[in-house]
Amino acid sequence: MQRFSTEESARAYFEHIRWPNGPTCPHCGNSSSDRIYKVTANPERKIRDGLYKCAECLQGFTVTVGTVMEDSHLPLNKWLIAFYMMCASKTQVSALQLQRQLEIGSYRTAWFLCHRIRYALKEADPRDLLVGTVEADETYIGGKARGKGRGYVKNKTAVVSLVERGGRVRSRALDTVNSEDITSLLRANVASDACLNTDESPLYKKVGKEFFAHDTVNHSIEEYARNDKKTGRKATTNAAEGFFGNSKRSIDGTHHHIGRKHVGLYFAELDHKYSNRKLTDGARTQDGIKKMEGKRLILRPSTKQV
């Protein structure tokens, strides 16, 4: 907070992270240094700080255009500190805490700020596949229904997580958990030469044949890990279950309850911190800032005519 106490210092930092080789026009992609000009700020003429002009498309832009920060009225130093707080926290940060510490005017603004950052951290269309040994498991997020047993899940949201053992994790919130959705998720995120580890759920039985190996553990007989002497592989889903346990404690302890339609964004934040757990807090924040390129989150329907 001392280093980025002004909006100018935060803007310079965002520009360094997004444009390490100089400004690039988000409208046409022009990155030629002699075809992009910095416009001098002039409050009387309502020319804001950090404005650039592209000589190719004649459009003006700032570092926030084409990111989750576009059209935001919050100072950039508060954006940067919020990014750091959410990426550096080992658990979760509530919108009320951000509102207090950053002196944001309303809870609604702080809540939307958190969701924009979570949307920036989300890997919507990952191009690289999970490799090695990948553990797949599902859980349900939501409270207990009065008069129903522990196994009642109709009031909860299903989350399927794919954990690369010793590496990354990818989670997806699903409306329904069936073999078709599981198959599509695994094909899109796991390499075919990976070793898949699951429990004995029939959801993974058919698609498991598409991978190099499919090892299972039988939880019904309290089997949680098994060493195969012939193959030398260890069959377990302990990494996935550990991720679920930490995630649920983090959500319950900080937010207490999260809306069904926002579960995916909360797990995007958890995925980012788990996948980059070996990085420093600063490096994890930088990685999160780089992901905001080309993303915008608008909760209110657009009124523009197409």
Side-chain angles (χ1 to χ4, degrees), residues 281-300:
D281 293 343
R284 195 181 308 114
T285 303
Q286 287 185 7
D287 187 74
I289 292 174
K290 292 177 182 178
K291 291 181 178 180
M292 69 179 180
E293 180 80 26
K295 295 180 179 178
R296 288 197 65 188
L297 179 61
I298 303 175
L299 294 185
R300 182 181 299 171

Side-chain angles (χ1 to χ4, degrees), residues 6-23:
T6 64
E7 189 169 9
E8 289 73 19
S9 59
R11 180 182 294 105
Y13 187 77
F14 277 124
E15 290 182 355
H16 172 71
I17 296 299
R18 187 180 183 187
W19 302 321
N21 300 317

Side-chain angles (χ1 to χ4, degrees), residues 40-285:
T40 303
N42 189 336
E44 294 181 358
R45 300 180 61 184
K46 297 183 179 180
I47 300 177
R48 59 192 183 278
D49 292 327
L51 180 64
Y52 292 87
K53 185 71 175 291
C54 176
E56 293 293 333
C57 63
L58 304 181
Q59 295 290 324
F61 63 92
T62 66
V63 71
T64 65
V65 173
T67 71
V68 294
M69 300 187 296
E70 186 173 353
D71 289 338
S72 172
H73 297 286
L74 283 177
L76 291 182
N77 55 325
K78 293 189 177 184
W79 268 101
L80 182 55
I81 295 171
F83 257 105
Y84 179 80
M85 290 176 62
M86 293 186 66
C87 291
S89 173
K90 298 302 180 184
T91 55
Q92 297 280 80
V93 177
S94 68
L96 280 173
Q97 182 178 348
L98 279 180
Q99 182 187 3
R100 291 193 304 269
Q101 294 186 333
L102 299 183
E103 297 180 349
I104 297 175
S106 68
Y107 171 76
R108 180 180 179 180
T109 301
W111 181 86
F112 193 22
L113 168 66
C114 292
H115 266 24
R116 285 190 178 189
I117 293 177
R118 293 185 183 106
Y119 183 67
L121 301 178
K122 183 178 180 180
E123 294 187 12
D125 187 20
R127 298 180 180 179
D128 55 333
L129 301 176
L130 303 178
V131 297
T133 301
V134 179
E135 301 179 14
D137 201 3
E138 68 279 351
T139 191
Y140 292 88
I141 304 298
K144 297 179 181 178
R146 180 174 297 180
K148 303 292 184 180
R150 183 178 180 182
Y152 185 79
V153 297
K154 290 185 178 181
N155 65 320
K156 301 181 181 181
T157 303
V159 176
V160 178
S161 290
L162 310 176
V163 182
E164 189 179 57
R165 193 172 294 172
R168 301 162 291 171
V169 60
R170 288 178 187 164
S171 303
R172 294 293 182 271
L174 302 176
D175 294 330
T176 58
V177 180
N178 53 55
S179 58
E180 293 181 359
D181 293 337
I182 295 294
T183 298
S184 298
L185 183 63
L186 288 172
R187 287 174 178 172
N189 291 277
V190 182
S192 59
D193 58 351
C195 178
L196 183 65
N197 277 214
T198 68
D199 54 24
E200 289 198 330
S201 171
L203 295 170
Y204 307 98
K205 187 174 182 179
K206 184 177 180 180
V207 69
K209 299 177 182 179
E210 300 182 12
F211 300 94
F212 173 76
H214 180 202
D215 298 331
T216 63
V217 288
N218 191 351
H219 289 168
S220 62
I221 60 173
E222 297 186 356
E223 180 187 50
Y224 300 99
R226 185 184 68 258
N227 292 315
D228 193 323
K229 296 181 180 179
K230 293 183 179 180
T231 62
R233 297 192 299 266
K234 181 178 181 180
T236 182
T237 58
N238 286 344
E241 292 173 4
F243 171 73
F244 284 145
N246 291 335
S247 299
K248 287 183 176 181
R249 283 192 294 270
S250 178
I251 291 173
D252 291 343
T254 303
H255 306 293
H256 310 303
H257 171 75
I258 57 178
R260 180 187 292 266
K261 65 180 180 180
H262 301 305
V263 170
L265 288 180
Y266 284 96
F267 268 86
E269 177 189 354
L270 293 166
D271 285 357
H272 174 77
K273 289 190 282 192
Y274 182 91
S275 298
N276 298 281
R277 62 193 179 279
K278 296 179 183 180
L279 300 180
T280 63
D281 293 343
R284 195 181 308 114
T285 303

